[in-house]
Amino acid sequence: MRKLSVIRLAVISIMLVGCSYFEQGDTIATVNGRDVTQQEFDAYLTLKRIQIRDDKHRSTLLEQYLQRDALSQAIESTYDDAAKQAAAAELDEFRRQMNISRYFERYLKDAVTEQKIQNYYAANEEKYTDTKVHVAHVLFRLKQGMTEAERKAKLTTATEAWSKLKAGDDFGKIADDYSEDRISAKKGGDLGWLKKGAIDPKFSMKVFEMKKDELSEPFETSFGYHIVKIIEEPKTVKKPFEAVKGDIRYLLRQQTKEAELDRLKAQTKIEMRNNT
């Protein structure tokens, strides 16, 4: 503890001496024989994003910086060889990771611009365009292992419900009475807006060919028998740029990073040597 106190006093003294020729050169202090330059201290302030308020604030920060440097040196002097090697390996790995991450942070910022994101959006409209239809249905489920008689009974029930609808019964009431999709049944059979290609192929093929208020006969899909009513006809909706900008930026950054990694790796030369 006494040793660290001596170091602290020495650092403060050196710092004050250094401040006397602050404007005369790059070296602003010396810690155990190691020169601390203005550039080094400025880089530290930039790294920490510290804004200097006045001379007193600068002096306080510099004192803290020098104390930490002296403390680090004092602790490092206690290391045995194994500890030194471990610390060196950790610092070296940090250096590698920092170099890679800093490089790509700068590179991608310049390479993936707002204009390039907009250009990608304009050139790939189909990726950000959905065709949707607003559908309601009544479902009669078919389960695996059903006998032919059971399947026919389901179809008979579906036909019965369809006949009532053709006779003018309310679709919502029929859905509530018959549908085995109880979630949509509570909403009058309403499935909401369904995106083309995101639902059962047979169901999709059927509903995207129908018109508003059109009612289908019972038809079969992998879920069972459906009676469908089109609430609103299919329409094509393009996602606004602002809604997909983040996704496009992420995609372009990934693609650009992979390409630049390949380019950098192609410039490197690694030779493996067998230890004898």
Side-chain angles (χ1 to χ4, degrees), residues 133-149:
V133 63
H134 191 179
V135 180
H137 80 151
V138 183
L139 173 64
F140 305 85
R141 292 192 187 279
L142 293 176
K143 298 179 181 178
Q144 208 169 25
M146 272 186 165
T147 64
E148 189 60 29

Side-chain angles (χ1 to χ4, degrees), residues 191-231:
L191 291 170
W193 286 93
L194 302 180
K195 186 169 70 172
K196 193 172 186 178
I199 50 180
D200 181 275
K202 291 182 180 179
F203 191 94
S204 182
M205 184 181 299
K206 184 72 175 179
V207 298
F208 280 95
E209 292 177 349
M210 295 172 65
K211 303 296 184 182
K212 183 177 179 180
D213 294 326
E214 187 176 348
L215 186 70
S216 76
E217 295 184 15
F219 65 95
E220 184 179 349
T221 73
S222 59
F223 296 100
Y225 294 111
H226 303 261
I227 300 171
V228 167
K229 181 180 180 180
I230 302 301
I231 299 174

Side-chain angles (χ1 to χ4, degrees), residues 115-172:
Q115 187 60 54
K116 286 188 177 180
I117 296 172
Q118 291 178 354
N119 291 345
Y120 184 89
Y121 176 73
N124 294 272
E125 287 189 2
E126 73 285 353
K127 292 183 179 180
Y128 305 103
T129 302
D130 293 329
T131 302
K132 297 181 178 182
V133 63
H134 191 179
V135 180
H137 80 151
V138 183
L139 173 64
F140 305 85
R141 292 192 187 279
L142 293 176
K143 298 179 181 178
Q144 208 169 25
M146 272 186 165
T147 64
E148 189 60 29
E150 289 172 327
R151 294 173 64 89
K152 285 183 178 179
K154 286 283 185 180
L155 181 56
T156 298
T157 305
T159 304
E160 175 186 301
W162 177 72
S163 297
K164 290 183 178 181
L165 289 169
K166 293 291 286 183
D169 280 19
D170 179 69
F171 192 93

